[in-house]
Structure formats: C-alpha cells, structure tokens
Amino acid sequence: MSLASREKVTAVVVTNGRDFSYARTTLDAVGRQTHLPTATVLVTTAPLARDLADTEPHETLPNFSFVSAQGAPNFSAAVNAGLEDVGREGWIWLLHADSAPEPQALDHLLRSGEHSPATAIVGPKQVAWDGQHLLEVGIRATRSARRVPEVIDDERDQGQLDSRSDVLGVGTAGMLVRASVWHELGGLSLDLGPFGDGLEFSRRARLAGHRVVVVPSAVVRHARLSLPRSFAPRRRAQILNALIAAPAWLMPLMWVGYILGAPVRALLRLAMKEPPFAFAELRAGGLILGSLGAVLRGRAQLPSASHAALRQLEDSPSDVRAYRREAKRSVEEAQMLAQRPSSLELKARADLKDRTFKYGVLAALLGLAMIAVLHLRNLTSGALVGGSLLGDSHTAGQLWQILVAGWSPVGDGAAGGLDPFWALLIPLVWLGSIVGASAGGVATFLHVLAPLAASLAAFRGAGTITTSPPMRLIAALMWVAAPPFLESQTYGFVGPSLIHVLLPLAVSALVRAWHGELNQVFALALVGALLSAITPAFVLAFVVASFAGLVARSGQRLRWLWVALPAASVVALALEAAPVRSLALWLSTPGAPALSGGDRVSTARGLLDFFATASPGANPLTWVLYVGPVAMVVLAVFAVLRGLAWKAVRFGWLAVALGLSLAALAVAVRGVWVPTSASLTSAGTLPQVGLSVTWLGLTLAVLGGSYKLRTRSRSRAFGLAHTSVAAMALTLVAASLVTISAWGIRHPLGDILDGAASRLPAIASPMQSGEYKNRVLALIATDDGVRAELWRRDGLEMSEQTRVGARASDAANKELSQAVADLAAGSQEAAGVLARHAVGIVLVPQSDFALRNRLLANLGSNPGLEFASATDAGIFWRVGSASSRLMLDDHPLPSGTVSAKARVDATGGVLRLAERNDPHFIATVDGEPLARLDDPWANAWTVPGRGTVEIMYDNEMHRMLVALQIALVMVSVVGALPLWRRRGVIE
C-alpha cells in the first residue's frame, strides 16, 4: 500500500507537567516514525507546558499543534480537549507523555488496522523505559476486571507473548483507535483514567461488534510514572470496571459489598505486611462510596449486545490465582538461586533449628513444672480467689456494655466505664464463655498459665541476644525463678504476673523491629498496649522507643510513629476513667490493692533482695532464697568486666536502674483507696512490676556476658576458660533451682489462693439482678473495726477493683460511711439512708472477730432492718424502707444496669437515680428532657406528669476513645500476625 493511499492518523500526546523530560523524548520518538502521523497534538494539563511546545522546533512533526487543557481531571478529559476538531475519518493515536514509540510502531499498528475493517482498536506491546523488560501485551482480565499477572516484575522481553493477536483489551499508552468508532462509542470514559480506561473502552468496542487486537511488533517504551503510590485509584478503576460489567441485578449488591469489604481487605493487607496498601484499600472504599453516578454513566454507555460476546476472551478467577502462584514460585526460585548458601551452612542451619526446637520443648516443660510447683493444689478448683486475685462473674457481653456505656456499675457508680485491662481481655472472656468461664475464670487461667508463658517468652526473648539453645533455656529458668514473679504468683498479683510474661516479648519485638521486621513493629505496639493497660507508666517507655525510631531509623519513621499509639490510647482511656489522677494511677495494677500493714509491708531491704512482699523469715534454711539474686548480680557485674556485647549489657544495667526506681516509687506512693471501717484509707502500689524490670535488666546483662564464651573456649586448650563457662552455667541453673525449690517448700504466707465460693445468700442475687437492681451492704468485722462494702454482684469483683473503682472520699462515700456508723450504733434513721443507695440487703459475713457479735446485736435490735436468715455466707437483714436504683419520690421504679426506662403513672414528683451525680446522665419523659435538681451526690430530676421515663448515659468523648483504642489495637493485632508479604504481583 502506497503512503499516499494510507489512512490519516492524528497523534495525541498528553502531558501533565510532571513528565516534561519524558514528553520531549516521546515527541522526538513520534518524529522519528517510519510512517509519520498526519497531525500531532500536544495536550497539557499544566500551565508551564507552553514552554515545551515553544522551545521544540518540531520540524519533523507535520501539522503540530498545542492545546492547553488546564483543569482536566484525567487523561480522558485531556484527550477529548485535543480532539475537538478531529472528524470521523482516519485514526487516533493516543500517547502518554512517558510512552515513547519505537520507529516502526505506528506503521505496524496502522497496517494491522487497515487489513480488517472490523478492527477498531489496535494496541502495541508495552515494555519498560529501558526497552528490555516486558510490561504487557494486551490486557487479560476477568469480568470483574482483575488483571491476570502473566508478566512478573523485571521479566525480560524475549518475545514470549508475541504470538498474541485478538485480546479483551489494550492500554491507552500507544492505543490506535478508528476515529469513526471513537465518535460512535463516545470516546474514553471521563470517570476513568489513567487506570482502567483502556479496558473499559475496549469492552465497549467489543460489545459493539468491533475487534480489539494487539500488535507485538509495534513496541512502546512506557515509564509508567503514574504507577508509584497509585493503588487506591487503580483499585477504584478495577471496581468501577467490575460494576459496569456486572449483571444489573447483581450490581447494587456488589457496590455495597465492595464498600463494606474495604475495611476487611485493609486488615488483610496489614496481615500481609502491606500497610501502604491497607490505607489505600480504605481510601478506595471511600472513593467507590461516591462513585455510584460514575457506575451508572458507564453502564448507560454500554452497547445493548449480550455480554456473552466477551466470555471467550475473559479469564476466570482461577486463571488469576494460577498465574499468581506461578509468579510467586518464579520469584522464590530466583531468590533461592541468588541467595543459596553452601551445603555446610544449610546443614548448620538445620542443626541449629532442630536443637532450638528441642530446647524450646524443654522450656515448655519447665513452665509446666513451675505450674505444678505453684498451683498443683488448685488446678481443679476453677476460678481462684485470695490475695489480690478476686472472683468475677461478668460475662463478655456485660463487660462490653460497661466499656461502651462509659459508666462503671460498682458501689454508687463511677464515670469511665471499664478499666483498659479488662477491655483488652473481652475477647478472651468471650472465648472462655464457650467452656462456661466468666471473667474471674479467665483471670485465673491467665494467672495459672503465666509460668508456662513466661518460660516460653524468655526463651524467645533470649534469642535476640544469643543463638545458643542451652543458654536460652537457662535464661528461661532464670526468668521463672525471679523472686518478684514467685511472689506475684503466690499472692495472686495477676497484673505483675502478666507483666513478667510480656517484658521478654517486648525486648524481642523491639530488637527485631529495630532490624526492620515490619510485623514486629506491630507486635511491639501491641505489647506496649498490654503493658500500659496493666501499668500505665509503661507508656513512657514506648514513647521513648517511638521517638528513638523516628530519629534513628530513616526510611521507617512512619512505622515507628505507630509504636506508641496503641499504648497512648490505652492510657488515655485509663486517665479518662480514673476519678483520681495522681502518680499512683501511673503505677497501679488491676486487682485488689495490697493493704498496708502486717507482714506484707514493702521495704527498702525488700527491694534490694527482690522479696518485696514478705521476708524469708528467721529460719536459716530459708536464706537459700537469696542464692538466685546474689548469683544474678555477681554474673551481671562480670558481664560489665568482660566488655563484650556492650549494647545488651548497658541496656540491661539501664533497665536495672529504671526498675529499682519504679519499685521504689511504688513503695513510696500512697494513693490507691481501699474501703475500711466507715471510711476509706490508702494503700501502697505494688513494687513487683519494677522488680520484674530490674530482673529483666540483670538477665540481659548476664546473657550479654555469656557472649562468645563457648566459642572462645573451643579455640583454647582445656583450662580456666572451660571451667569458667561450666561454672557460670552451673551457677545459674543451681541458683535458680534452689530459689524455686525453697520458695515452693516454704514461702511465708502459705497457699493463700483457693477456689471461689459464693459470698451471697440465696435471696440476695435475685434482688441484685431483678427489676429494682438492689444492692447488698456487707459489714465485715476485722481487727481494725468494721469495713463496709457495697456489692452489686457476688462481692467486690476483680473488674470492679481497678483504677475505675478507686475513689477518694466524696459525698456518696461520706453519707454511706456515716450511715454504717449509725447503723452499728443502732440508729433507726440509718435504714432510710441505705435505701437512698439502693441497698436492699445488709449482710454480716462469717468471721472470728469479737466485734462481729456486738455488730450483730446492734443490727438485730434496729427497727429499720428486718431479719431474714442465717446461712453459710453469714447473717442478713432486709432493709425495711422501699429501695431501688431508680425512685420516684418514695416509689421504686424498674431500672437497667446503666440506663433505665419506666412508666410513670403519678402526677409528677422527684425522679432520683442512685448513681453518682454526672451530667452525662440524661433523663426524658416521652422524649422531652427533664430539668435537673440539686442532690448531695445522686442524679435527680423533676417529673412534671405521666409518661415514659428514659434515662441514658451519653458520653461521646468516651465512645470516641473506646473506638480509637479498638481500632489501634485491632490494627496492631492484624499487623503482628506472622504472615509474609506477597511478592511477584503488583496488587
């Protein structure tokens, strides 16, 4: 065919201003075509591109023109601006500014189109800008527009796909379109571009009865400048194509499914260690939410032909999966060949892995043995109580309601809702409900399982300092033999026990995250949230770690910023929940506080010998308990003298200093309020947390001191070096075993944990859970007087004795304390005061104190109380006055745990809610808000007349904090999953 008889071609080159250097190359490549286009139009969306058109001579480009399309939102709109004067004859050649055609590209494309009138779209083979690596030869995709990844990253062009002709679609970079078809179909979609527009336009052409072909001999070098950080618009383009091509009845369901599925896909991206893609998934979901109009416009442009015309060209989802598996296998094989170690190294790795597994099993057996030593007597007792460990009958649903509501139903109520520690345990409580366990059972399970978890955690943590499996096992033994851990296990200190488990995991995650392991960044953030939920002071350590990562780890700053966020959200919830914000809050732990007095006083000597809760006693045999701590200190000093592994040793001694300071502060601070007698008194916080940090420091120093001991001894003749290594190992093992054995045989307070038993008489529980939500006032005789406790459940439960429940003396406590004193003195008016606190039962539990008999006599003669019965739980009376959580004057009304809804048939009165006064309680009658009244401590409103009363607790700030904590913790959990990032695929 002669040049004179060939059809005319209008070339359109689009530049956005960021690709000027590539645009010059592309224009030069168009000018070097063996068959020149009839006209060339340079379209720019940037104001400075005028310079590009003015400075280039373009003598080789006939009929060159420049069109400014500033404000054009995408490639499609820019092309339309450049084709305003183009008629229906000839062809249109579309080029991106970064897609330079080879000299014969247009000739081959045009020749293919001229051979068949049915051909409407002709596409080239796209290669990388270097001309060596293959990008695509046409588009293979499913009906939902999922691309088939037939070309892997950096795959060289060897003509492997050059036999291809008819395809489902081609990209717009180098696309040649028959002008008549362009006008017939309305051009490219204005809702797509630069991604997905070629596939959508090719589909329309196919449905209109035209051919879409690719010509592999026509090559275009494509830099793909718009590809980096483009996942969100690419995902949007894929979804739009899927919705446009979907059956009409299925499209609305798919649209909703894509929107709801965006958060799920984001979590999966996090699990696959692709955080940028995770945020892009959420962004794409948001874009689709506002793209329904684009979908409807795209469907309106579709020809009326049946979609069956495309089925032979569309791939199936199984094809996509098969190609992805093949791409992954190819990448893995290439990496294996490039990084394959020697056979000797492979054997050494296999041997180390096998030995590590065997010693890991021994570490697990060590943990099980510790459980037997500490808890064998109680393994079949179910939920345990004693010391700081209390029973708790809450279910996961009840804990969730308290968490979301923001109000803690304990005593006379407290703002803040559920303590963060219990908030994080809700999933475990839910799992425990499958076997009938409540929150108390889960707390017991965690406490009893702590030795096993601590042993395995120490074994893993030691792996960041030493690769020697025996030394890692010795580290696990040293860790479970730590005196603060033994005390925490014996006295039911659940919080310190769990901190002892988490500390090695924090060290392990920190070291691995510092060396670039992405999932360990999330693991570190998750451990930080757990530690801060138990003791808020730990958030400071994670803020420091986050700052250090921001400063020192260039290229990873965003991930290190994440480290402190979950811990900060947990502490924010704790601060919002706690009524008393003091230093004690930052050092407190969940569970019943340790009462001051008696043999359980923490002293300075106790901090130095690590037995902070109790002295070993006067028996000389019990002094062997000190063998372990003394050996640890001596070997830690030896590690300093060796001068090797200085990072681990110095970090260890820094932890020793910080831990001792934390423990000393815990002893000195008095701010946890405990109900005693007719008032509240304060008790010290627990030093075991700081002592565990100190023990961690000593362990790190000792492990650092063992660095290369065995390696260096091998290169020498048998002598002092070998003896030193053996002596060090034997000392650590013997000292740890001696400490464990001595503690198991004779610890100071004996076995104080026992199975939980109900503390309520049978009649009280239905009254507590009934419509009036009555409370039980327990008057407990002690050697210091009478301690009053206000129960809403089976005694004071563990989730109630946390930072949320800790409260200094206020109006409610003062009134109740005075009522208790008057009641013990025989005052009749005290019963009416008890009714104001919704007390329906007064209980005197069993005890051996003489004061109990005097108390029983006074209560028995009080006319405001009605004797009910005597049971194993104690002796109890009913309060004679009508009482309920919600009262209208003197009439009880039904109520819920936090909210309330009741019918008022009286002409009006004073509505009173027996919860501490809080402005977030809102009362309405038939939807109309009620006016508040002043009350010494409760919530009160004026009810004008009949109607339905509703009371809600509405704290928007609390709900925002809860949502933030849940989101941050969930992201950290998913990101910490030990899954590998997918390789070899773009999306």
Side-chain angles (χ1 to χ4, degrees):
M1 183 180 295
S2 65
L3 292 177
S5 62
R6 299 193 72 173
E7 300 182 55
K8 69 175 184 178
V9 176
T10 301
V12 182
V13 181
V14 178
T15 177
N16 56 23
R18 297 185 300 272
D19 47 19
F20 281 173
S21 60
Y22 291 89
R24 289 188 173 90
T25 304
T26 299
L27 289 173
D28 290 341
V30 173
R32 291 196 302 269
Q33 293 297 300
T34 57
H35 177 77
L36 290 173
T38 309
T40 302
V41 182
L42 175 63
V43 183
T44 177
T45 61
L48 298 180
R50 178 80 249 181
D51 299 338
L52 178 65
D54 292 340
T55 55
E56 294 293 333
H58 308 303
E59 291 88 355
T60 58
L61 295 175
N63 300 319
F64 176 81
S65 61
F66 173 83
V67 175
S68 177
Q70 293 185 39
N74 51 31
F75 179 79
S76 306
V79 169
N80 288 342
L83 294 177
E84 290 182 355
D85 299 329
V86 177
R88 292 177 172 270
E89 297 181 358
W91 296 81
I92 299 170
W93 193 23
L94 306 180
L95 289 167
H96 301 184
D98 61 345
S99 58
E102 294 295 320
Q104 294 184 328
L106 179 58
D107 180 44
H108 290 174
L109 291 172
L110 185 59
R111 195 175 301 280
S112 175
E114 290 172 335
H115 283 175
S116 172
T119 300
I121 301 176
V122 187
K125 173 168 67 175
Q126 294 187 29
V127 298
W129 193 253
D130 61 8
Q132 302 297 319
H133 297 91
L134 186 64
L135 297 181
E136 69 176 41
V137 184
I139 296 175
R140 291 183 59 184
T142 65
R143 184 170 183 176
S144 62
R146 293 176 62 192
R147 296 283 291 265
V148 176
E150 56 183 347
V151 179
I152 64 175
D153 290 341
D154 297 326
E155 181 176 342
R156 297 186 69 85
D157 178 22
Q158 298 174 327
Q160 57 268 49
L161 299 178
D162 285 0
S163 62
R164 186 169 295 173
S165 178
D166 282 82
V167 290
L168 176 64
V170 296
T172 55
M175 174 190 285
L176 186 68
V177 186
R178 195 179 294 273
S180 59
V181 175
W182 176 274
H183 289 285
E184 173 192 342
L185 299 179
L188 298 174
S189 171
L190 294 177
D191 296 308
L192 291 166
F195 308 106
D197 47 358
L199 176 60
E200 189 274 339
F201 186 63
S202 298
R203 282 181 184 273
R204 275 191 280 147
R206 281 284 183 185
L207 290 174
H210 304 291
R211 288 182 65 199
V212 178
V213 300
V214 65
V215 181
S217 60
V219 179
V220 168
R221 296 185 296 118
H222 194 186
R224 298 200 295 180
L225 296 180
S226 58
L227 188 60
R229 299 186 178 182
S230 63
F231 179 80
R234 282 187 290 142
R235 174 66 177 162
R236 172 187 177 272
Q238 185 248 312
I239 295 176
L240 281 182
N241 269 298
L243 294 174
I244 291 171
W249 65 272
L250 187 59
M251 189 276 290
L253 298 177
M254 291 177 61
W255 181 69
V256 174
Y258 280 125
I259 294 172
L260 297 180
V264 178
R265 286 178 59 93
L267 290 176
L268 291 175
R269 290 287 186 179
L270 280 176
M272 300 303 296
K273 308 302 168 289
E274 298 171 334
F277 285 167
F279 293 110
E281 290 282 3
L282 295 176
R283 182 187 169 203
L287 293 174
I288 290 300
L289 183 62
S291 299
L292 185 57
V295 175
L296 297 179
R297 287 191 294 271
R299 295 181 65 87
Q301 286 185 303
L302 289 177
S304 58
S306 171
H307 188 83
L310 302 180
R311 288 178 182 170
Q312 291 185 346
L313 294 171
E314 289 176 337
D315 287 273
S316 66
S318 61
D319 295 328
V320 176
R321 292 191 294 269
Y323 273 95
R324 283 184 173 172
R325 286 194 299 268
E326 180 63 22
K328 180 180 179 181
R329 185 186 63 81
S330 299
V331 172
E332 290 176 348
E333 288 180 353
Q335 291 177 345
M336 185 178 299
L337 290 174
Q339 303 173 3
R340 183 176 179 84
S342 65
S343 57
L344 291 177
E345 186 176 351
L346 286 175
K347 184 178 184 305
R349 289 181 182 180
D351 291 343
L352 179 61
K353 183 177 180 180
D354 182 60
R355 294 178 66 227
T356 301
F357 174 78
K358 292 178 180 179
Y359 277 89
V361 172
L362 292 178
L365 294 176
L366 169 64
L368 293 175
M370 285 295 298
I371 292 177
V373 170
L374 296 170
H375 301 294
L376 181 61
R377 189 173 67 88
N378 296 318
L379 285 180
T380 59
S381 300
L384 300 178
V385 296
S388 184
L389 186 63
L390 302 178
D392 199 302
S393 59
H394 284 89
T395 64
Q398 292 168 339
L399 293 176
W400 174 257
Q401 290 176 358
I402 297 171
L403 172 66
V404 174
W407 185 258
S408 178
V410 51
D412 283 318
L418 194 65
D419 190 85
F421 171 74
W422 290 98
L424 295 179
L425 286 189
I426 288 178
L428 290 181
V429 177
W430 179 79
L431 290 175
S433 65
I434 299 175
V435 295
S438 61
V442 171
T444 297
F445 174 77
L446 293 176
H447 187 69
V448 172
L449 198 67
L452 173 61
S455 179
L456 293 176
F459 187 81
R460 174 176 173 78
T464 61
I465 300 177
T466 177
T467 59
S468 169
M471 199 62 207
R472 293 174 65 178
L473 179 62
I474 292 175
L477 177 61
M478 293 188 296
W479 190 243
V480 296
F485 182 61
L486 296 176
E487 286 188 324
S488 298
Q489 284 285 288
T490 300
Y491 298 119
F493 299 153
V494 180
S497 291
L498 295 180
I499 283 177
H500 201 79
V501 172
L502 294 171
L503 285 176
L505 298 179
V507 172
S508 173
L510 175 62
V511 174
R512 289 179 166 89
W514 196 262
H515 287 89
E517 295 186 27
L518 179 59
N519 71 313
Q520 293 303 304
V521 174
F522 290 103
L524 181 61
L526 181 60
V527 172
L530 293 172
L531 287 171
S532 300
I534 300 172
T535 298
F538 277 104
V539 71
L540 302 177
F542 287 87
V543 169
V544 171
S546 179
F547 180 77
L550 288 172
V551 172
R553 310 307 289 175
S554 59
Q556 301 177 359
R557 290 189 171 94
L558 286 179
R559 66 175 64 175
W560 280 96
L561 181 63
W562 183 269
V563 166
L565 292 182
S569 71
V570 166
V571 172
L573 195 60
L575 290 174
E576 189 262 350
V580 181
R581 296 180 179 91
S582 65
L583 183 58
L585 166 67
W586 295 86
L587 302 176
S588 60
T589 56
L595 293 175
S596 299
D599 291 333
R600 298 173 63 188
V601 179
S602 300
T603 64
R605 182 201 55 77
L607 299 183
L608 295 178
D609 63 23
F610 292 96
F611 292 97
T613 302
S615 167
N619 191 330
L621 293 177
T622 60
W623 285 93
V624 296
L625 288 169
Y626 293 136
V627 173
V630 170
M632 289 288 287
V633 172
V634 170
L635 291 175
V637 172
F638 168 74
V640 175
L641 299 178
R642 284 201 72 209
L644 297 178
W646 62 270
K647 289 183 180 180
V649 175
R650 292 182 183 181
F651 185 82
W653 277 103
L654 176 62
V656 169
L658 293 176
L660 286 176
S661 301
L662 188 63
L665 275 177
V667 173
V669 168
R670 304 180 65 82
V672 179
W673 295 94
V674 184
T676 58
S677 302
S679 62
L680 297 176
T681 186
S682 62
T685 50
L686 297 176
Q688 277 76 15
V689 173
L691 292 179
S692 285
V693 175
T694 303
W695 196 265
L696 173 70
L698 292 176
T699 303
L700 292 176
V702 170
L703 289 175
S706 68
Y707 181 68
K708 288 189 176 181
L709 270 178
R710 187 178 179 187
T711 304
R712 292 190 172 185
S713 64
R714 286 178 176 176
S715 60
R716 301 177 182 177
F718 183 81
L720 182 60
H722 299 79
T723 306
S724 299
V725 172
M728 177 181 176
L730 290 176
T731 299
L732 290 173
V733 172
S736 300
L737 292 177
V738 165
T739 301
I740 294 172
S741 302
W743 184 267
I745 294 172
R746 189 179 183 274
H747 55 77
L749 297 181
D751 296 327
I752 67 171
L753 301 183
D754 205 347
S758 176
R759 303 174 63 187
L760 284 179
I763 194 175
S765 183
M767 294 179 66
Q768 288 178 325
S769 59
E771 61 177 356
Y772 296 138
K773 298 296 182 291
N774 289 123
R775 300 160 190 171
V776 174
L777 177 65
L779 302 178
I780 304 170
T782 69
D783 54 357
D784 294 327
V786 176
R787 185 172 79 248
E789 296 179 355
L790 196 57
W791 298 351
R792 297 203 192 191
R793 305 180 69 87
D794 190 2
L796 289 178
E797 300 196 331
M798 190 166 180
S799 62
E800 299 175 344
Q801 290 298 289
T802 59
R803 291 178 291 276
V804 174
R807 178 171 292 275
S809 183
D810 60 1
N813 282 333
K814 289 178 180 178
E815 183 181 89
L816 184 61
S817 299
Q818 185 60 48
V820 170
D822 294 343
L823 194 67
S827 172
Q828 181 177 355
E829 290 76 12
V833 178
L834 296 184
R836 288 171 50 82
H837 293 261
V839 175
I841 294 289
V842 176
L843 170 67
V844 179
Q846 300 287 353
S847 71
D848 297 329
F849 295 98
L851 179 61
R852 181 173 183 268
N853 294 328
R854 296 198 302 272
L855 178 62
L856 293 176
N858 289 336
L859 294 179
S861 61
N862 193 311
L865 301 179
E866 301 173 1
F867 177 77
S869 180
T871 66
D872 292 339
I875 301 176
F876 61 98
W877 292 260
R878 290 189 181 92
V879 176
S881 304
S883 63
S884 174
R885 179 174 177 266
L886 183 64
M887 299 284 291
L888 180 64
D889 294 331
D890 296 329
H891 304 288
L893 297 177
S895 170
T897 303
V898 177
S899 60
K901 184 176 182 180
R903 178 69 186 175
V904 174
D905 295 324
T907 57
V910 175
L911 185 69
R912 189 175 184 280
L913 182 69
E915 302 282 358
R916 280 185 171 86
N917 200 324
D918 192 299
H920 293 103
F921 277 111
I922 300 174
T924 61
V925 171
D926 295 334
E928 294 296 325
L930 297 179
R932 272 187 170 272
L933 295 176
D934 290 335
D935 188 277
W937 63 271
N939 297 273
W941 300 269
T942 299
V943 179
R946 294 181 175 86
T948 300
V949 173
E950 288 191 65
I951 299 178
M952 301 293 293
Y953 188 79
D954 185 16
N955 189 338
E956 184 176 354
M957 177 59 70
H958 174 82
R959 289 196 297 271
M960 291 175 59
L961 287 174
V962 170
L964 177 64
Q965 176 181 316
I966 292 174
L968 293 176
V969 171
M970 282 290 295
V971 169
S972 298
V973 169
V974 174
L977 295 175
L979 302 178
W980 294 104
R981 179 176 178 175
R982 293 182 298 172
R983 299 185 184 274
V985 295
I986 295 176
E987 300 182 8

